[in-house]
Amino acid sequence: MYKKSDVEELAVKLSGLNTVASIASRLNIGERTAVNVVWRLRKSGLVQTYRGKNRVRFYRISFANKNRSGYGLYEYISRNSKIKVVPQHELYIHEQLTPELALIKAVEQQDFRLLLAALALFSKIKDWCLLNKLAKKKKLGRKIGALYDLAKRFMRVRRIDGRTLNSFLKSKTDKYIIRGLRSSDWPEIQKKWRVHLPFGKEDLKDYDRF
Amino acid sequence: MIDFNQQKELLELVGRQLRKRTEALLIGGSAMMFHGAKAATFDIDLVFMDKNHFLRFADALGSIGFSENKQFEIFRHYETAKIKPKIFLGSDTRFDLFLNEVVCFKITDSILSRIKEEHEFGNLIVKIVAPEDIILLKCATERAKDRVDAAELARKYRIDWKVVISESILQMNVGKAVYPVFLLSFLHELRDKLKVDIPDSILAELEAVCEKALKMK
């Protein structure tokens, strides 16, 4: 049986990002016992789980998880995308996180891998009006439009309505989606939307259909 | 005293009042609550890196019923602060707002790089400073409860003491205070009175730094 002090001691020893294998090696125990340790820590509210590629699970063990509230942006996008992101630095949003809001936040973060993973959100957008409103507020219309056209090339996405599309085309925004990054692929999309796409064809290989 | 949920509600309320994006660093007991190392706190300490954000936040507090108190002093040696903080009192809590520095402790780029968690409450972005920096901020005060807080942080987190030492040296180089000396006596207190496990090698390294620093000063 684990006492409260044992659990706390384990939490301190294992604090940070772990996998079952790393926990087993750190504590010099078998992997099945390591799973049991994770379960015990999770029961005490000290574990946050992320899914990596090939179904690998990452566990962030910390006392901070006890008071965890809000929606983690990286966690939300990872859950809704084929491409997984494990953040060095998490952003928690204290309002209802929808695919529309998550997409806008992903563009604002200027994080390459997060934005790559966020392209999958175009298959989950239901409220184009909301997306338009948020994009207008943050002056991201043409960027969102260009990312939509890119996503459409290699995955099934929900169809955008004409009014939203026109609104995106007319919006004022700067040229770089991610500052300093500009791909030489997709010239027609970049010309149409007058923005620089950060992703090349090689970057999108993780998405199967491409 | 306010608990974590009450603090969160207050921050959400302020976030709704703000018309523009406002960023702040959360330090002290409030930051410890986000780290799960404290259950309640007397006040919410925020540091702003931009004067506009500082003033905007102060206005937002005024609009939700907090009043500025100009006579209140948070800790001793208040007169040494170049930019005096603003204190706002509510019915059962207090906001302490600082601009760029906390009395003589400057917010450096290294502190900003160690931030691993941000919380967005509407237009308010709150960044939680790392446990190492919370401990360093607490070493410059003379309050017993800060020692207890630091001990609690040291017990719940694997504190990288080398980071604490290097930041104290950096603080000494950018400011006037001999931070390593404050830190040395603070760590001795934590180890001797509060039984915090601090390696001897860390204290030895810090002693050498203090000797060098005092010779230079």
Side-chain angles (χ1 to χ4, degrees):
Chain A
M1 284 294 284
Y2 287 94
K3 287 184 225 168
K4 187 181 171 188
S5 54
D6 292 341
V7 172
E8 289 189 354
E9 211 180 289
L10 275 171
V12 175
K13 225 185 220 175
L14 299 171
S15 68
L17 208 55
N18 294 276
T19 58
V20 166
S22 74
I23 291 172
S25 128
R26 247 170 165 173
L27 299 178
N28 204 19
I29 52 178
E31 286 199 1
R32 284 193 180 194
T33 315
V35 169
N36 197 290
V37 166
V38 171
W39 169 81
R40 189 63 237 168
L41 289 168
R42 184 180 283 116
K43 259 200 116 166
S44 304
L46 302 172
V47 176
Q48 199 177 13
T49 308
Y50 294 95
R51 299 279 177 131
K53 209 174 175 177
N54 300 327
R55 292 184 173 192
V56 172
R57 288 180 209 194
F58 292 94
Y59 305 105
R60 194 178 291 280
I61 298 170
S62 167
F63 283 93
N65 291 326
K66 263 191 163 173
N67 278 337
R68 190 60 71 222
S69 63
Y71 298 91
L73 179 68
Y74 284 72
E75 194 187 353
Y76 181 87
I77 290 175
S78 274
R79 231 183 313 129
N80 289 290
S81 172
K82 273 175 120 39
I83 295 179
K84 307 298 172 187
V85 269
V86 179
Q88 280 298 317
H89 171 193
E90 180 64 279
L91 169 64
Y92 293 93
I93 315 276
H94 291 262
E95 57 180 302
Q96 185 61 40
L97 195 54
T98 58
E100 294 83 7
L101 182 60
L103 189 56
I104 297 290
K105 293 292 175 196
V107 175
E108 281 188 318
Q109 286 301 297
Q110 295 276 298
D111 183 325
F112 184 91
R113 192 160 169 85
L114 181 69
L115 191 54
L116 187 62
L119 291 177
L121 292 175
F122 281 113
S123 63
K124 302 197 187 281
I125 303 281
K126 287 181 188 170
D127 192 343
W128 291 104
C129 183
L130 173 63
L131 183 63
N132 187 19
K133 201 169 140 185
L134 292 169
K136 229 182 201 172
K137 196 174 167 186
K138 303 285 181 181
K139 296 185 184 162
L140 296 173
R142 291 204 326 258
K143 296 181 188 182
I144 300 292
L147 290 169
Y148 173 79
D149 266 358
L150 178 65
K152 214 168 61 170
R153 294 276 178 115
F154 57 89
M155 66 169 89
R156 284 184 72 171
V157 298
R158 299 222 172 201
R159 202 191 296 193
I160 195 171
D161 64 284
R163 188 188 280 186
T164 307
L165 196 65
N166 283 334
S167 175
F168 283 166
L169 268 167
K170 288 180 196 167
S171 72
K172 288 181 189 168
T173 183
D174 59 325
K175 285 199 163 197
Y176 284 93
I177 294 179
I178 294 179
R179 253 170 260 126
L181 285 184
R182 180 182 178 171
S183 167
S184 54
D185 299 330
W186 330 107
E188 60 292 346
I189 299 178
Q190 296 190 81
K191 193 178 176 185
K192 175 183 172 185
W193 293 97
R194 302 184 324 274
V195 293
H196 299 308
L197 284 169
F199 309 117
K201 289 180 183 170
E202 282 294 314
D203 298 318
L204 300 167
K205 272 197 170 155
D206 277 341
Y207 286 105
D208 281 341
R209 245 185 95 172
F210 177 76
Chain B
M1 296 273 274
I2 52 165
D3 64 15
F4 179 74
N5 289 324
Q6 286 169 322
Q7 177 181 257
K8 203 166 70 81
E9 278 165 13
L10 261 174
L11 292 172
E12 279 169 359
L13 185 58
V14 177
R16 281 198 289 273
Q17 295 299 311
L18 291 163
R19 299 253 174 241
K20 283 185 178 178
R21 188 181 168 92
T22 304
E23 288 184 13
L25 272 62
L26 195 65
I27 59 173
S30 323
M32 284 181 67
M33 286 209 282
F34 275 94
H35 285 300
K38 204 169 179 181
T41 185
F42 287 109
D43 53 11
I44 299 175
D45 302 311
L46 291 158
V47 187
F48 297 84
M49 305 307 293
D50 186 311
K51 194 169 184 183
N52 291 329
H53 293 204
F54 176 72
L55 294 171
R56 220 180 282 149
F57 192 93
D59 288 340
L61 279 181
S63 68
I64 59 169
F66 280 78
S67 51
E68 191 179 349
N69 188 321
K70 296 188 181 173
Q71 266 96 46
F72 204 98
E73 282 191 12
I74 309 165
F75 33 68
R76 289 185 221 174
H77 312 303
Y78 212 64
E79 61 283 356
T80 61
K82 241 194 283 180
I83 306 160
K84 292 242 178 335
K86 281 186 188 272
I87 317 296
F88 283 82
L89 296 172
S91 55
D92 51 7
T93 192
R94 195 180 84 213
F95 274 89
D96 300 338
L97 311 182
F98 301 89
L99 179 60
N100 294 326
E101 54 185 49
V102 182
V103 190
C104 44
F105 187 93
K106 294 192 192 320
I107 303 296
T108 57
D109 288 340
S110 53
I111 292 175
L112 296 173
S113 70
R114 281 190 289 274
I115 291 171
K116 293 275 181 263
E117 206 174 301
E118 278 183 30
H119 289 257
E120 197 169 296
F121 301 95
N123 276 326
L124 176 63
I125 317 300
V126 168
K127 300 180 184 186
I128 318 298
V129 298
E132 286 81 4
D133 297 311
I134 299 174
I135 286 180
L136 198 51
L137 271 156
K138 289 197 178 278
C139 82
T141 70
E142 289 159 357
R143 302 181 299 189
K145 70 180 181 92
D146 286 338
R147 274 98 178 109
V148 173
D149 285 347
E152 194 57 28
L153 266 174
R155 279 187 204 111
K156 289 202 160 146
Y157 284 85
R158 271 186 300 162
I159 300 293
D160 189 343
W161 296 108
K162 289 195 181 275
V163 163
V164 178
I165 293 174
S166 61
E167 185 62 38
S168 72
I169 297 169
L170 184 60
Q171 288 296 325
M172 182 179 64
N173 293 336
V174 300
K176 291 181 192 170
V178 195
Y179 255 95
V181 174
F182 299 147
L183 182 61
L184 182 63
S185 80
F186 185 76
L187 293 186
H188 272 296
E189 245 188 274
L190 288 185
R191 196 176 70 161
D192 302 335
K193 291 184 183 169
L194 295 165
K195 312 292 175 209
V196 173
D197 182 26
I198 300 172
D200 288 336
S201 56
I202 294 293
L203 291 171
E205 189 182 331
L206 192 52
E207 273 165 18
V209 167
C210 289
E211 249 182 70
K212 202 174 167 188
L214 287 168
K215 275 183 194 164
M216 276 167 54
K217 294 272 172 183

